[in-house]
């Protein structure tokens, strides 16, 4: 079965987290495919916001329903270099941290 084809048909149900437009016209690109787990890169057609989603397709079900799990921080797993956006996110997260360093690293 073609995961991208399934996603393409379901994409219209999802909205871009950045611009709020429908993802019906988004670009879909398979990044990795392993057993029932796929990582798919979704690029919004409206704002070009690209993010990775993890898709799990149960092989035994005839009518496959992908479980779409939008990951906020997939870069580490894929070995993609940290972008300036990631650094900014980390800074903002650290800035809002109320505990000491030890509790942060735990
Ligand atoms: Zn968008």
């Amino acid at each position: 079965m073609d995961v991208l084809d399934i996603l393409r048909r379901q994409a219209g149900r999802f909205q871009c987290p950045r611009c709020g437009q429908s993802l019906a016209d988004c670009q879909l690109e398979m990044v990795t495919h392993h057993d029932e787990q796929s990582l798919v890169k979704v690029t919004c057609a409206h704002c070009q916001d690209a993010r990775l989603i993890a898709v799990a397709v149960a092989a035994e079900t005839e009518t496959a329903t992908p479980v779409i799990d939008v990951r906020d921080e997939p870069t580490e797993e894929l070995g993609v270099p940290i972008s300036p956006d990631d650094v900014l996110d980390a800074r903002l997260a650290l800035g809002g941290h109320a505990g000491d360093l030890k509790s942060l690293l735990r």
Side-chain angles (χ1 to χ4, degrees), residues 16-21 23 44-49:
C16 171
R18 180 177 283 183
C19 71
Q21 295 288 320
L23 287 174
C44 174
H46 300 275
C47 69
Q48 306 303 313
D49 181 45

